Structures are given as C-alpha cells and as structure tokens.
Amino acid sequence: MEAHGAGLRRVLVLAFCVAGIWSAYIYQGFLQETLSTKRFGSDGKRFEHLAFLNLAQNVVCLVWSYIMIKLWSSRSNGGAPLWTYWSAGITNTIGPAMGIEALKYISYPAQVLAKSSKMIPVMLMGTLVYGIRYTFPEYICTFLVAGGVSAFALMKTSSKTISKLAHPNAPLGYGLCFLNLAFDGFTNATQDSITARYPKTSAWEIMLGMNLWGTIYNMIYMFGWPHGSGFEAVQFCKQHPEAAWDILLYCLCGAVGQNFIFLTISRFGSLANTTVTTTRKFVSIVVSSLLSGNPLSPKQWGCVLMVFSGLSYQIYLKWRKLQRLPKKKKT
C-alpha cells in the first residue's frame, strides 16, 4: 500500500512538472511571437528591439536565482566561482539574441522547428572533428529531423504569416537559428566543464552565474553608448505600457519554467526533462497555428510530424540505452 501511495505521489509530481513546463514555456512562446509581430498603440509601431528581451530575462532570472539560493540553499565552498562563467556568458548572450532576432524574418513555428534540430550540428562536429561513430538508428533520427526542417523551409509560407513578419527573409532567419544552435552548443559544453571541475555547484548557482554575466554583457551592448538600442527600447515601453507588461510576463514565464525544469531533472532525470520539453515544442507549434494566426498547410504539418518523429525516436533510443545499463552492471 505504501509503495502504491509513493508511486501515485511520483506520478502527481511528474504531472505537476509537465503542467508547469508546458504552461510557462507555451505562454512565453506566445508572448515572444506577440512582441515580434504585434503593432502597439495608435501609431501601430512594432517592438523592433527584440534583443532587449534577453536583457530583461537575464535581470529577472538573476534576481530569481539569488532569491532561490537565499531561500532554499546557500553558496557552498565547493561551488564554481562567479568569474568562471564569463566565456559561457558571452555565447549565452549572443546565441539567444540571434534566435529571438530570427522572428523578424521567419514565423514562430519555423523558428521552433529550426531550433529543434540541435542534434545535427552536434553529430556533424562529432563526426568531422572528433571522429565519433554513430549508430544507424541515430543517423535515421538525424535524417528525419534534417529532412523535415529542410522541407519546411523550402515550402511556401502563407501570405497571412508573411504579412505579420517585420522583414520576411527565410535564409537569414534560418541562418540566425542555426548560429543560435552553434553558440548554444559551446555554452552547454562550457557549463559541463564547469560542473565537472566544481561538482558541488548547484543548478541555482549556475543560473546565477550565467545571468550575472549575461546582464553585464547585455547592459554594455544596449546601454554602453549614448544612442544604444536599450534607450530606444525603454522609451518604447514608456510610450506603450502594454509592451512593457508583455515583456515582464515573458521574463516571469522563463524564470518559472526554469524552476520546473530543475525540479524535473532532480526528481526524474534529464531524459524525462528532454521528453517533456520536446513535446512542449510540438504543442507550441499547434498553439501558434491555432491561436496566433500562423496557418500551416497539410504538407507543412507533415514536415512537423517528421521532425518530431525523429526527436521521439531519439528519446526512445536514449531510454533503451538507460535500460541496458543496469543489466550490464548485474553481469
């Protein structure tokens, strides 16, 4: 009976994590799309300074992580010093800025699909630079994802979707997304090396260090000279309070979503988190298509299903590999 109760509690906690991640990031995606396409106020101006979202997100997450450390933990002596995050902070500033900037040129569903193909540059670098050999099923996953994204990119976008974009330019938009993935790869590798050197570093300390340097770099970029874009962004928010409110909600969604991701990883592992976040991306595309007026053709939906079939198969392969580990230990 106790085992049954513990199992039920575990299922409820997982359902709570899924609901938290989905609601936070799906709504954040909706706000991101709104800020990149909507015309605010009677003058009908667009919010052109999308990089300002990264600065606002850095500031909110910096404060949030500091509060979480004070409430739930304390900076341990074995944790990584804050200066160690300086290099990862650079790529973590440039990469997301490119991803958000891409929304000026391609639709939100296209951006989500392009950013879902992270495995492609990882496998290319692994094969060409490090000589890593991948299994045939792993190549199938990559083919499905790469084929789906490529086919989606080559298909004609609806005129309704194009009319909402600030500067429609598919090659530039997809190029920015893939540069975002490249910078994210360096950021993840640097974070892994930091946690390997300082294994006592908590998730909140990583969040604090990354967002501290992100805030510094973004402040220099946006306010470092008299006519920096940050001043224009602040002026726009003063003139259009609705945009300022959307930016605040966008940042809070990111901070809350991070909470649920950390909870999911700590309780159920990174594979469960990957599964939840991958399905969230698919739901985000559905929500964007239905609510934000980005209609997809049947062929485009086929491409979306192709990409997420590849991602789902990749998750299954990881799960099967984890299942084999206990058996190997027993033998």
Side-chain angles (χ1 to χ4, degrees):
M1 194 69 182
E2 288 182 9
H4 177 73
L8 180 61
R9 281 195 299 272
R10 188 171 171 80
V11 169
L12 290 174
V13 171
L14 179 59
F16 179 63
C17 291
V18 171
I21 291 172
W22 278 29
S23 57
Y25 285 112
I26 288 172
Y27 188 52
Q28 188 186 47
F30 173 78
L31 290 168
Q32 187 182 64
E33 188 173 7
T34 299
L35 286 162
S36 65
T37 59
K38 185 177 177 180
R39 294 183 181 275
F40 292 92
S42 57
D43 51 1
K45 286 187 176 180
R46 292 179 184 269
F47 182 70
E48 293 281 353
H49 314 287
L50 295 181
F52 184 75
L53 295 178
N54 285 330
L55 172 59
Q57 181 81 88
N58 286 144
V59 172
V60 170
C61 287
L62 176 65
V63 174
W64 187 280
S65 57
Y66 180 79
I67 292 171
M68 290 297 108
I69 288 172
K70 290 297 181 183
L71 288 178
W72 303 109
S73 63
S74 57
R75 282 190 58 80
S76 56
N77 293 329
L82 290 175
W83 64 265
T84 56
Y85 298 96
W86 73 269
S87 59
I90 294 175
T91 53
N92 196 47
T93 300
I94 298 171
M98 288 181 169
I100 289 179
E101 200 70 16
L103 288 172
K104 292 181 180 179
Y105 311 105
I106 56 175
S107 67
Y108 180 73
Q111 185 224 37
V112 172
L113 268 193
K115 290 176 71 175
S116 298
S117 57
K118 187 178 286 188
M119 67 173 76
I120 298 172
V122 169
M123 289 186 71
L124 279 174
M125 290 292 289
T127 303
L128 299 175
V129 179
Y130 300 107
I132 298 172
R133 291 185 178 181
Y134 296 95
T135 62
F136 182 68
E138 287 174 323
Y139 283 115
I140 291 177
C141 293
T142 307
F143 171 77
L144 287 170
V145 173
V149 172
S150 301
F152 190 96
L154 293 171
M155 285 181 185
K156 187 178 179 181
T157 306
S158 70
S159 56
K160 185 178 180 181
T161 300
I162 290 175
S163 66
K164 294 171 66 178
L165 300 176
H167 312 288
N169 188 329
L172 179 56
Y174 282 106
L176 287 170
C177 285
F178 291 124
L179 283 172
N180 180 10
L181 292 179
F183 280 109
D184 280 354
F186 181 84
T187 302
N188 293 338
T190 308
Q191 284 180 339
D192 289 342
S193 69
I194 290 172
T195 52
R197 278 183 291 154
Y198 304 95
K200 292 183 179 180
T201 306
S202 70
W204 295 119
E205 289 173 336
I206 295 173
M207 191 175 176
L208 181 73
M210 294 295 292
N211 284 289
L212 172 64
W213 284 101
T215 300
I216 293 169
Y217 294 140
N218 274 308
M219 286 291 288
I220 294 171
Y221 168 68
M222 303 207 78
F223 295 98
W225 47 85
H227 301 289
S229 58
F231 296 106
E232 295 177 13
V234 171
Q235 188 63 31
F236 185 95
C237 290
K238 286 181 179 178
Q239 294 172 354
H240 306 89
E242 186 183 354
W245 179 247
D246 284 346
I247 291 171
L248 176 61
L249 289 176
Y250 171 87
C251 298
L252 290 175
C253 283
V256 171
Q258 286 284 344
N259 265 6
F260 284 106
I261 283 177
F262 292 153
L263 179 60
T264 304
I265 292 173
S266 64
R267 293 291 185 92
F268 305 100
S270 59
L271 182 59
N273 180 64
T274 302
T275 306
V276 175
T277 52
T278 300
T279 51
R280 187 273 304 171
K281 290 176 183 177
F282 181 80
V283 176
S284 293
I285 292 176
V286 175
V287 169
S288 176
S289 178
L290 297 177
L291 298 183
S292 300
N294 289 317
L296 300 181
S297 67
K299 289 182 179 179
Q300 286 177 316
W301 276 116
C303 295
V304 172
L305 291 173
M306 188 176 175
V307 170
F308 284 94
S309 295
L311 295 175
S312 301
Y313 189 36
Q314 183 193 39
I315 291 170
Y316 168 73
L317 292 175
K318 288 181 179 179
W319 174 81
R320 199 170 65 175
K321 190 181 289 185
L322 285 175
Q323 294 295 104
R324 288 175 183 166
L325 291 176
K327 294 179 181 178
K328 287 183 179 179
K329 287 180 181 177
K330 287 180 182 178
T331 54

